[in-house]
Amino acid sequence: MEIDKNQLLRFTTAGSVDDGKSTLIGRLLYDSKAIFEDQLEAIENTSRKKGHEGVDLALFTDGLRDEREQGITIDVAYRYFTTPKRKFIIADTPGHIQYTRNMVTGASTANAALILIDARHGVIEQTKRHAFIASLLQIPHIIVCINKMDLVDYSEEVYEKIINQFEEFSSKLYVKDIQFLPISALDGDNVVNRSKNMDWYKGAPLLYTLETMHISSDINKIDARFPVQTVLRPQREGFIDYRGYAGRVASGIFRPGDDVVVLPSGFTSKIKGIDTMDGSLEEVFAPMSVAISLEDDIDISRGDMIVKENNQPKALQEFDAMLCWFNNSPARPRAKYTIVHTSNEQKAMIKEVVYKIDINTYAREEEDKELKMNDIARISIRTTRPLMVDEYRDNRLTGSFVLIDDATHETVAAGMIV
Amino acid sequence: MSKYYLNYLDELESEAIYILREVWAQFQNPVILFSGGKDSILVTHLARKAFYPSKIPFPLLHVDTGHNFPETIQFRDELIEALGVQLIVGSVQESIDTGRVAEEKGKNATRNALQITTLLDAIESNKIDCAIGGGRRDEEKARAKERFFSHRDDFGQWDPKNQRPELWNLLNGKHFEGEHFRAFPISNWTEMDVWNYIKREDIKIPSLYLAHQREVVWRNDSWIPVSEFLKLDENEKIESKKIRFRTLGDITITGGIESDADTLEKIVVEVAAMKQTERGNRSDDKRSETAMEDRKRQGYF
């Protein structure tokens, strides 16, 4: 197997019990031979106990005991499979509105989102919700799978009608790349293999689409941003004066000799070296983890950001963001939280809830401003010191943050800077 | 295609290095849980990369059940010597001797569950606030939902319903006195990824992973190595087989598979063709459908 060039693709799925999501994932894993015999045996046993005929592929994605007992997927579960072309990570999330926060979590790192529609029902509330979250989290690619085509006689007309329904509402959303696929997860039509029942569909099956989707350009290569995680000072022979700023490139490209500025101090310098245990590098880009050393001796610590002199983020102390509330306890008005943005941490206060969004209808709610679990809202936030931010739309890693409640240490919200 | 992309092994490596550096930055007193198995060896290798040219800035913690493969202990000691880092050993034998735990009885008795107490005692007495483990989400269904930073309460227990959401690359390691975290930098690796990477990086691993001739007994569908701890049943007989181990745990419960794979290249080919999960040969996971979840809740690795 040629693995040297194979990329990693992360995709998220959202769905409810009935739309065949678990079956689809089970099918992808099964057909790509990611299910082992002992796992299959366990599933066969459970299927028999439950009185199902044959193997219920959906059982493969059920994880914890509570979930198996209740027959639902509560959390985000990660699944893995590999084909000769790519490695895949699936963030498998439940689709009900009470699990919005799980969908948001799964979506935050995804290159692609799979949205499932039951061909018999067409676009429903849940479809709009999933599309909204994919758009809010700026997942670069959306694949809409119109599933259970076997139950509508593989009708092209039904398929086209659902595409029209989808396009009608999704025109209100900001989505970069969207594709549609007619499938039957149960029988495997257009999942791994092309369907013999839908000659009218000229596109590729789902797996091929995932294997060949162009994802290299999803990463921002323009705005060079290097948040410093920690400082390496080996103080041992050969490295007595060495000082390396360890971090993972968030975006853009850095090279030795680049003129850089360290934020927030504003000190300028040049990149002396980009170091790894395997040697020094001539250039570095996201998402590589390296250590950068500078020509000048500057005081730099965790939370600082190295950027290019001619392309800097905004230093803001007050900004607006789209926020998803994660916690059982509602947001306390004007309460202070710890805000974590890249490797930087400050105190922050939600100054105002501008509006909440009904993610089923996309309607703005300007009366009820209490932020409860799973709510999504536009807020104004103020921090004790300026953060070096980009808009989320331009930069997922320097445009995002979480809020932590100091009383419980729980992560209570996730935000995207607008 | 643009040259500005990473292959998947480089991306997994970079992610793991990022997580290890976050551990160092967010915790006072982290350790690497070192078992001598390939996953903890991999984590140690990645920690070298994360802090190079500095040494790994925290100790390795080995929970020693006393039921070791001699090869594992030798490997551990050589590695510690080469890295120049501190080794902390938590001894299950000591936990038994001091009455903290009682040895299981019977033919299938193991010290697997006893490790939990020893591990939690070692964490408490050394004031460890983060234990870095080699757990992977593909290993077992209870692990599929594990976080990179996994919170444990002051009893060392894991509550799957009370874990912090992890978005983008933002990890929340905040904790109160007495609580600790487990960190899993190789969460997103599969067994295949681990082997491909070990081969690519030419990482030294214990010889037990390579096919070798060994005295074994057929029990619970795998070849259990003969050792001073093994009690034979009447109908069991010792045979000599060419075997290797896919995972390493206690010598009493780790079953080998028949194999000719005596090089890393051959292992990669063999693993790619495997039809059973690697934990299929671990009798500790066979006890019940939720065996792993139950142990994790109590504070297992």
Side-chain angles (χ1 to χ4, degrees):
Chain A
M1 188 162 76
E2 173 61 60
I3 59 164
D4 296 350
K5 294 194 165 69
N6 287 2
Q7 287 172 299
L8 175 61
L9 185 138
R10 299 170 203 252
F11 67 93
T12 174
T13 58
S16 61
V17 182
D18 307 321
D19 59 17
K21 181 197 63 157
S22 298
T23 308
L24 176 64
I25 294 172
R27 170 64 60 190
L28 280 170
L29 298 174
Y30 185 72
D31 284 359
S32 64
K33 302 188 175 45
I35 297 184
F36 291 98
E37 273 177 5
D38 47 334
Q39 292 172 312
L40 194 60
E41 220 172 275
I43 296 169
E44 280 169 353
N45 285 338
T46 315
S47 301
R48 252 196 313 277
K49 268 187 231 158
K50 289 192 170 175
H52 294 175
E53 270 179 54
V55 181
D56 183 355
L57 286 174
L59 288 174
F60 185 70
T61 57
D62 287 344
L64 304 174
R65 178 163 42 196
D66 293 338
E67 297 173 345
R68 277 194 303 282
E69 281 164 6
Q70 294 165 29
I72 50 164
T73 316
I74 298 172
D75 210 323
V76 184
Y78 295 90
R79 317 279 169 198
Y80 304 85
F81 68 101
T82 305
T83 71
K85 295 204 177 78
R86 260 180 192 163
K87 174 186 167 89
F88 295 94
I89 301 179
I90 310 174
D92 180 18
T93 64
H96 292 112
I97 189 135
Q98 67 264 40
Y99 302 117
T100 299
R101 58 182 186 149
N102 308 81
M103 289 182 261
V104 168
T105 302
S108 71
T109 50
N111 304 97
L114 290 196
I115 295 177
L116 270 118
I117 299 179
D118 186 327
R120 294 170 302 174
H121 307 310
V123 168
I124 55 173
E125 207 170 64
Q126 169 172 290
T127 320
K128 295 185 182 170
R129 190 156 71 228
H130 298 165
F132 179 81
I133 290 169
S135 150
L136 180 72
L137 274 290
Q138 287 292 294
I139 299 178
H141 310 276
I142 293 182
I143 302 175
V144 182
C145 293
I146 295 156
N147 190 24
K148 305 196 182 181
M149 289 299 292
D150 52 315
L151 299 181
V152 294
D153 298 326
Y154 305 103
S155 157
E156 183 177 8
E157 201 183 319
V158 171
Y159 173 71
E160 293 293 342
K161 203 176 117 204
I162 293 172
I163 292 181
N164 286 337
Q165 282 178 349
F166 191 95
E167 284 178 336
E168 204 173 302
F169 79 85
S170 67
S171 61
K172 293 175 204 147
L173 301 173
Y174 181 76
V175 180
K176 287 175 198 158
D177 171 33
I178 186 159
Q179 299 184 58
F180 298 90
L181 276 165
I183 66 167
S184 164
L186 194 63
D187 303 323
D189 290 72
N190 284 337
V191 178
V192 173
N193 301 309
R194 182 175 289 279
S195 169
K196 293 191 177 72
N197 298 309
M198 291 177 271
D199 289 338
W200 48 264
Y201 172 71
K202 304 295 177 211
L206 176 61
L207 186 63
Y208 182 85
T209 307
L210 289 167
E211 283 180 326
T212 54
M213 178 176 279
H214 185 66
I215 54 171
S216 314
S217 52
D218 294 348
I219 289 170
N220 177 331
K221 295 185 201 69
I222 309 296
D223 310 308
R225 308 280 186 262
F226 187 81
V228 175
Q229 280 183 278
T230 183
V231 182
L232 302 174
R233 300 198 63 182
Q235 292 175 309
R236 66 181 172 96
E237 217 183 305
F239 299 96
I240 297 293
D241 294 321
Y242 182 86
R243 199 187 279 199
Y245 305 107
R248 197 179 191 193
V249 181
S251 57
I253 300 165
F254 291 93
R255 298 185 182 88
D258 280 348
D259 291 312
V260 293
V261 54
V262 180
L263 299 174
S265 69
F267 288 124
T268 56
S269 186
K270 260 189 206 314
I271 293 183
K272 184 168 160 191
I274 298 169
D275 306 313
T276 72
M277 196 172 86
D278 302 306
S280 297
L281 302 175
E282 284 311 304
E283 59 182 2
V284 69
F285 51 90
M288 292 166 82
S289 287
V290 295
I292 287 181
S293 56
L294 300 181
E295 294 285 357
D296 305 277
D297 202 8
I298 309 174
D299 184 25
I300 300 179
S301 53
R302 176 173 169 85
D304 290 350
M305 194 186 286
I306 299 174
V307 305
K308 297 253 189 88
E309 219 175 340
N310 57 6
N311 177 335
Q312 301 189 19
K314 288 185 204 135
L316 296 179
Q317 208 166 342
E318 270 193 59
F319 49 86
D320 276 17
M322 298 303 295
L323 195 79
C324 179
W325 196 257
F326 279 60
N327 205 263
N328 269 318
S329 339
R332 300 184 302 276
R334 301 188 72 82
K336 284 201 180 63
Y337 295 94
T338 294
I339 185 168
V340 181
H341 168 259
T342 68
S343 56
N344 191 7
E345 237 185 77
Q346 301 290 343
K347 296 287 176 228
M349 184 181 74
I350 300 171
K351 273 183 62 192
E352 191 198 350
V353 175
V354 184
Y355 55 80
K356 291 208 292 190
I357 281 203
D358 180 329
I359 62 170
N360 294 329
T361 62
Y362 308 163
R364 288 180 186 185
E365 165 66 67
E366 298 187 18
E367 300 303 314
D368 169 20
K369 293 196 168 175
E370 192 188 30
L371 283 179
K372 295 185 292 292
M373 184 149 79
N374 295 312
D375 278 348
I376 289 175
R378 183 178 176 123
I379 56 142
S380 297
I381 200 162
R382 183 178 169 80
T383 59
T384 44
R385 289 201 190 145
L387 300 179
M388 275 64 69
V389 305
D390 292 295
E391 275 181 38
Y392 185 78
R393 187 174 289 202
D394 299 326
N395 205 322
R396 273 172 117 179
L397 293 186
T398 54
S400 55
F401 62 86
V402 295
L403 298 181
I404 296 172
D405 186 334
D406 293 325
T408 62
H409 290 166
E410 286 172 328
T411 302
V412 292
M416 289 139 280
I417 297 160
V418 290
Chain B
M1 199 188 287
S2 151
K3 63 171 177 163
Y4 295 110
Y5 74 92
L6 296 181
N7 79 35
Y8 75 98
L9 285 178
D10 287 329
E11 186 161 344
L12 291 174
E13 178 194 75
S14 171
E15 178 179 86
I17 289 174
Y18 173 81
I19 292 160
L20 285 159
R21 287 167 170 175
E22 280 302 294
V23 170
W24 176 235
Q26 293 196 35
F27 294 93
Q28 298 294 319
N29 198 14
V31 293
I32 293 177
L33 293 174
F34 188 82
S35 69
K38 66 180 189 311
D39 297 321
S40 64
I41 293 169
L42 170 61
V43 169
T44 307
H45 177 81
L46 291 163
R48 279 179 65 208
K49 289 200 169 195
F51 301 102
Y52 178 88
S54 298
K55 277 195 249 180
I56 297 175
F58 34 75
L60 270 53
L61 169 64
H62 180 219
V63 175
D64 182 354
T65 61
H67 289 174
N68 301 297
F69 286 93
E71 292 93 332
T72 306
I73 297 299
Q74 193 193 338
F75 183 91
R76 178 195 79 185
D77 293 342
E78 285 171 13
L79 184 68
I80 290 293
E81 175 76 30
L83 295 173
V85 298
Q86 189 202 344
L87 174 72
I88 300 171
V89 177
S91 161
V92 174
Q93 187 62 51
E94 206 177 295
S95 303
I96 294 169
D97 295 346
T98 53
R100 297 277 296 138
V101 292
E103 189 109 60
E104 286 184 14
K105 305 260 187 310
K107 175 182 116 176
N108 287 321
T110 83
R111 289 184 165 182
N112 195 285
L114 310 189
Q115 294 179 88
I116 297 173
T117 301
T118 310
L119 171 64
L120 294 179
D121 286 352
I123 285 173
E124 199 177 325
S125 63
N126 292 285
K127 296 194 164 44
I128 291 161
D129 54 0
C130 183
I132 304 163
R136 309 191 321 263
R137 289 173 182 152
D138 85 314
E139 274 180 89
E140 210 281 336
K141 53 184 174 283
R143 291 205 197 268
K145 303 187 176 185
E146 188 54 278
R147 304 295 200 269
F148 291 123
F149 276 13
S150 175
H151 176 262
R152 304 299 154 108
D153 64 19
D154 48 0
F155 296 101
Q157 297 193 344
W158 179 65
D159 177 2
K161 281 191 176 159
N162 186 25
Q163 292 296 320
R164 297 167 183 179
E166 292 180 338
L167 294 100
W168 303 288
N169 57 354
L170 301 173
L171 303 172
N172 174 1
K174 291 192 187 301
H175 56 283
F176 294 103
E177 187 81 30
E179 297 177 342
H180 76 277
F181 269 76
R182 303 289 170 85
F184 299 106
I186 59 165
S187 289
N188 280 328
W189 300 50
T190 62
E191 185 189 15
M192 199 65 230
D193 299 333
V194 171
W195 283 116
N196 273 316
Y197 186 81
I198 287 175
K199 181 179 144 219
R200 185 184 93 171
E201 302 277 306
D202 200 17
I203 300 172
K204 210 173 152 219
I205 50 168
S207 55
L208 299 159
Y209 282 111
L210 304 172
H212 58 286
Q213 208 70 32
R214 198 174 193 102
E215 306 264 275
V216 286
V217 168
W218 184 249
R219 182 185 286 178
N220 296 335
D221 295 329
S222 63
W223 294 107
I224 301 290
V226 172
S227 69
E228 56 178 309
F229 312 107
L230 189 74
K231 294 185 186 69
L232 288 189
D233 265 2
E234 269 175 34
N235 53 355
E236 287 177 331
K237 66 170 195 292
I238 295 173
E239 295 174 65
S240 177
K241 291 278 172 190
K242 192 167 190 191
I243 62 153
R244 68 176 203 87
F245 299 97
R246 285 178 79 187
T247 66
L248 290 182
D250 274 11
I251 196 164
T252 54
I253 52 163
T254 306
I257 51 166
E258 285 189 71
S259 168
D260 283 320
D262 52 7
T263 63
L264 285 176
E265 285 74 21
K266 287 184 194 166
I267 290 177
V268 167
V269 173
E270 188 185 274
V271 171
M274 288 285 181
K275 292 197 165 68
Q276 300 274 326
T277 58
E278 55 182 338
R279 296 194 84 92
N281 292 87
R282 292 274 285 259
S283 55
D284 44 335
D285 290 334
K286 287 187 179 171
R287 291 191 168 184
S288 82
E289 171 84 358
T290 55
M292 175 67 94
E293 185 183 340
D294 296 339
R295 279 178 296 155
K296 270 183 74 73
R297 279 178 188 268
Q298 290 162 31
Y300 194 66
F301 298 105

